[in-house]
Amino acid sequence: MKSTLVVLGSVFGVIAICVLWFISAGNGLIALDEKVNSSWSQVENVYQRRADLIPNLVNTVKGYAKHETELLTAVTEARASVGQIKVSAPGDLKKFEAAQGQLSSALSRLMVVAEKYPDLKANQNFLELQSQLEGTENRITVERQRFNESAREFNTAIRQFPKSVVADSKGFKAREYFEAKKGSENAPEVKF
Protein backbone atom coordinates (compact mmCIF):
# COMPACT_ATOMS: atom_id res chain seq x y z
CA MET A 1 0.00 0.00 0.00
CA LYS A 2 2.77 2.38 0.96
CA SER A 3 4.70 1.63 -2.23
CA THR A 4 1.57 2.22 -4.32
CA LEU A 5 1.19 5.67 -2.78
CA VAL A 6 4.83 6.44 -3.50
CA VAL A 7 4.42 5.35 -7.13
CA LEU A 8 1.19 7.36 -7.52
CA GLY A 9 2.84 10.38 -5.89
CA SER A 10 5.82 10.07 -8.22
CA VAL A 11 3.60 9.75 -11.28
CA PHE A 12 1.53 12.73 -10.16
CA GLY A 13 4.76 14.70 -9.53
CA VAL A 14 6.07 13.91 -13.01
CA ILE A 15 2.75 14.87 -14.59
CA ALA A 16 2.67 18.11 -12.57
CA ILE A 17 6.22 18.97 -13.68
CA CYS A 18 5.33 18.27 -17.33
CA VAL A 19 2.19 20.44 -17.13
CA LEU A 20 4.12 23.28 -15.46
CA TRP A 21 6.87 23.03 -18.10
CA PHE A 22 4.25 23.07 -20.90
CA ILE A 23 2.66 26.20 -19.43
CA SER A 24 6.04 27.86 -18.95
CA ALA A 25 7.17 27.01 -22.49
CA GLY A 26 3.89 28.33 -23.92
CA ASN A 27 4.25 31.57 -21.98
CA GLY A 28 7.83 31.92 -23.21
CA LEU A 29 6.70 31.51 -26.81
CA ILE A 30 3.94 34.06 -26.29
CA ALA A 31 6.53 36.51 -24.94
CA LEU A 32 8.73 35.93 -28.02
CA ASP A 33 5.74 36.36 -30.32
CA GLU A 34 4.89 39.65 -28.64
CA LYS A 35 8.51 40.75 -29.04
CA VAL A 36 8.22 40.12 -32.79
CA ASN A 37 4.91 42.03 -32.86
CA SER A 38 6.48 44.92 -30.99
CA SER A 39 9.43 44.97 -33.37
CA TRP A 40 7.03 45.00 -36.30
CA SER A 41 5.14 47.94 -34.77
CA GLN A 42 8.37 49.87 -34.58
CA VAL A 43 9.12 49.08 -38.24
CA GLU A 44 5.67 50.40 -39.17
CA ASN A 45 6.30 53.45 -36.99
CA VAL A 46 9.45 54.49 -38.86
CA TYR A 47 7.85 53.76 -42.23
CA GLN A 48 4.97 56.01 -41.17
CA ARG A 49 7.47 58.71 -40.25
CA ARG A 50 8.87 58.48 -43.78
CA ALA A 51 5.38 58.58 -45.26
CA ASP A 52 4.60 61.69 -43.20
CA LEU A 53 7.74 63.47 -44.48
CA ILE A 54 7.01 62.78 -48.13
CA PRO A 55 4.19 65.33 -48.69
CA ASN A 56 6.39 68.09 -47.26
CA LEU A 57 9.30 67.03 -49.45
CA VAL A 58 7.10 66.80 -52.55
CA ASN A 59 5.56 70.23 -51.91
CA THR A 60 8.99 71.79 -51.44
CA VAL A 61 10.27 70.29 -54.68
CA LYS A 62 7.01 71.20 -56.45
CA GLY A 63 7.71 74.85 -55.94
CA TYR A 64 11.02 74.57 -57.78
CA ALA A 65 10.32 71.87 -60.33
CA LYS A 66 6.84 72.54 -61.63
CA HIS A 67 7.42 70.58 -64.85
CA GLU A 68 8.41 67.39 -62.95
CA THR A 69 4.76 66.57 -62.28
CA GLU A 70 5.03 62.98 -63.51
CA LEU A 71 7.68 62.17 -60.92
CA LEU A 72 5.88 64.03 -58.16
CA THR A 73 2.70 62.11 -58.99
CA ALA A 74 4.63 58.81 -58.91
CA VAL A 75 6.00 59.61 -55.45
CA THR A 76 2.54 60.53 -54.17
CA GLU A 77 0.96 57.39 -55.65
CA ALA A 78 3.71 55.16 -54.25
CA ARG A 79 3.18 56.67 -50.82
CA ALA A 80 -0.56 56.06 -51.06
CA SER A 81 -0.12 52.42 -52.11
CA VAL A 82 2.17 51.75 -49.16
CA GLY A 83 -0.49 52.95 -46.76
CA GLN A 84 -3.03 50.47 -48.12
CA ILE A 85 -1.01 47.32 -47.40
CA LYS A 86 -1.49 45.63 -44.03
CA VAL A 87 0.75 42.76 -42.99
CA SER A 88 -1.54 40.19 -41.40
CA ALA A 89 -1.06 36.99 -43.37
CA PRO A 90 1.90 35.04 -44.74
CA GLY A 91 3.02 36.64 -47.98
CA ASP A 92 1.83 40.12 -47.00
CA LEU A 93 5.36 41.05 -45.92
CA LYS A 94 6.56 40.52 -49.51
CA LYS A 95 3.81 42.83 -50.81
CA PHE A 96 4.70 45.39 -48.14
CA GLU A 97 8.39 45.21 -49.06
CA ALA A 98 7.58 45.58 -52.78
CA ALA A 99 5.48 48.68 -52.12
CA GLN A 100 8.19 50.16 -49.90
CA GLY A 101 10.72 49.41 -52.64
CA GLN A 102 8.62 51.32 -55.17
CA LEU A 103 8.41 54.23 -52.77
CA SER A 104 12.18 54.15 -52.16
CA SER A 105 12.78 54.13 -55.91
CA ALA A 106 10.46 57.10 -56.42
CA LEU A 107 12.18 58.99 -53.60
CA SER A 108 15.58 58.26 -55.15
CA ARG A 109 14.39 59.69 -58.47
CA LEU A 110 13.04 62.73 -56.59
CA MET A 111 16.46 63.31 -55.02
CA VAL A 112 18.10 63.06 -58.45
CA VAL A 113 15.67 65.70 -59.76
CA ALA A 114 16.53 67.88 -56.78
CA GLU A 115 20.18 67.80 -57.85
CA LYS A 116 19.18 69.58 -61.08
CA TYR A 117 17.97 72.65 -59.20
CA PRO A 118 20.77 74.55 -57.40
CA ASP A 119 18.28 76.87 -55.70
CA LEU A 120 16.38 73.89 -54.33
CA LYS A 121 19.56 72.26 -53.03
CA ALA A 122 20.30 75.44 -51.10
CA ASN A 123 16.74 75.81 -49.74
CA GLN A 124 16.76 75.35 -45.97
CA ASN A 125 13.39 73.58 -45.90
CA PHE A 126 14.56 71.09 -48.50
CA LEU A 127 17.86 70.48 -46.74
CA GLU A 128 16.05 69.88 -43.45
CA LEU A 129 13.56 67.51 -45.04
CA GLN A 130 16.35 65.68 -46.86
CA SER A 131 18.24 65.31 -43.58
CA GLN A 132 15.14 64.02 -41.80
CA LEU A 133 14.48 61.57 -44.62
CA GLU A 134 18.08 60.30 -44.43
CA GLY A 135 17.73 59.83 -40.68
CA THR A 136 14.44 58.04 -41.18
CA GLU A 137 15.97 55.69 -43.76
CA ASN A 138 18.67 54.84 -41.21
CA ARG A 139 16.00 54.21 -38.57
CA ILE A 140 14.16 51.93 -40.99
CA THR A 141 17.32 49.89 -41.48
CA VAL A 142 17.86 49.57 -37.73
CA GLU A 143 14.24 48.63 -37.00
CA ARG A 144 14.16 46.09 -39.82
CA GLN A 145 17.30 44.52 -38.36
CA ARG A 146 15.71 44.39 -34.92
CA PHE A 147 12.58 42.83 -36.39
CA ASN A 148 14.66 40.18 -38.16
CA GLU A 149 16.50 39.43 -34.91
CA SER A 150 13.21 39.04 -33.03
CA ALA A 151 11.77 36.87 -35.80
CA ARG A 152 14.92 34.71 -35.80
CA GLU A 153 14.74 34.23 -32.03
CA PHE A 154 11.04 33.32 -32.25
CA ASN A 155 11.48 31.03 -35.26
CA THR A 156 14.36 29.22 -33.56
CA ALA A 157 12.33 28.70 -30.40
CA ILE A 158 9.31 27.23 -32.20
CA ARG A 159 11.45 24.85 -34.23
CA GLN A 160 13.54 23.40 -31.38
CA PHE A 161 12.36 20.30 -29.62
CA PRO A 162 10.55 20.10 -27.17
CA LYS A 163 9.17 23.64 -27.56
CA SER A 164 8.16 22.74 -31.11
CA VAL A 165 5.50 20.47 -29.59
CA VAL A 166 4.13 23.40 -27.57
CA ALA A 167 4.34 25.71 -30.60
CA ASP A 168 2.42 23.25 -32.77
CA SER A 169 -0.25 22.75 -30.13
CA LYS A 170 -0.75 26.51 -29.76
CA GLY A 171 -0.68 27.20 -33.50
CA PHE A 172 2.48 29.31 -33.65
CA LYS A 173 3.87 29.72 -37.18
CA ALA A 174 7.29 30.92 -38.31
CA ARG A 175 7.56 34.63 -39.02
CA GLU A 176 8.88 35.99 -42.31
CA TYR A 177 12.07 38.04 -42.51
CA PHE A 178 12.77 41.24 -44.35
CA GLU A 179 15.04 40.41 -47.26
CA ALA A 180 17.12 42.58 -49.54
CA LYS A 181 15.57 43.30 -52.92
CA LYS A 182 17.02 41.51 -55.92
CA GLY A 183 19.81 43.59 -57.40
CA SER A 184 20.43 45.54 -54.20
CA GLU A 185 23.96 44.16 -54.10
CA ASN A 186 24.74 46.47 -57.05
CA ALA A 187 25.34 50.17 -56.49
CA PRO A 188 22.58 52.35 -57.96
CA GLU A 189 23.45 54.26 -61.13
CA VAL A 190 22.75 57.96 -60.94
CA LYS A 191 22.53 59.89 -64.21
CA PHE A 192 22.05 63.61 -64.69
Side-chain angles (χ1 to χ4, degrees):
M1 177 77 163
K2 201 175 195 182
S3 65
T4 305
L5 288 175
V6 170
V7 169
L8 284 175
S10 298
V11 168
F12 179 73
V14 168
I15 290 172
I17 289 171
C18 289
V19 167
L20 289 174
W21 176 85
F22 189 85
I23 291 169
S24 175
N27 287 340
L29 291 175
I30 289 169
L32 289 174
D33 187 47
E34 285 303 313
K35 183 177 178 183
V36 174
N37 291 338
S38 174
S39 295
W40 176 248
S41 277
Q42 194 54 31
V43 168
E44 287 182 319
N45 181 33
V46 290
Y47 274 125
Q48 184 62 50
R49 175 182 161 80
R50 178 170 77 168
D52 291 344
L53 287 172
I54 289 169
N56 296 328
L57 190 63
V58 167
N59 287 334
T60 302
V61 174
K62 220 183 253 186
Y64 284 88
K66 291 182 183 0
H67 61 280
E68 302 286 355
T69 55
E70 182 180 316
L71 174 61
L72 298 171
T73 301
V75 171
T76 304
E77 287 173 357
R79 178 187 177 270
S81 72
V82 164
Q84 295 172 357
I85 297 175
K86 299 295 177 215
V87 178
S88 57
D92 288 349
L93 185 59
K94 297 285 185 223
K95 292 176 191 170
F96 183 82
E97 283 184 84
Q100 289 293 344
Q102 288 174 340
L103 181 57
S104 293
S105 175
L107 284 173
S108 295
R109 290 191 318 253
L110 183 66
M111 291 303 167
V112 169
V113 165
E115 290 293 320
K116 294 180 185 177
Y117 299 92
D119 290 343
L120 176 59
K121 288 193 309 186
N123 178 286
Q124 192 59 41
N125 288 341
F126 179 76
L127 293 174
E128 177 65 26
L129 287 167
Q130 188 177 16
S131 174
Q132 286 184 27
L133 195 57
E134 268 179 34
T136 300
E137 294 297 326
N138 290 336
R139 289 177 187 175
I140 288 170
T141 300
V142 168
E143 295 306 333
R144 285 173 61 165
Q145 178 184 358
R146 287 180 182 160
F147 172 80
N148 279 349
E149 289 169 359
S150 297
R152 179 194 45 78
E153 187 178 354
F154 175 76
N155 291 346
T156 300
I158 68 169
R159 290 180 59 209
Q160 290 178 329
F161 184 80
K163 284 188 181 177
S164 62
V165 174
V166 177
D168 287 342
S169 73
K170 292 192 174 265
F172 287 112
K173 302 287 183 223
R175 301 296 283 264
E176 293 180 272
Y177 296 107
F178 274 105
E179 296 175 3
K181 293 185 300 186
K182 290 181 181 176
S184 64
E185 68 278 1
N186 302 325
E189 186 179 326
V190 178
K191 294 180 183 177
F192 295 104

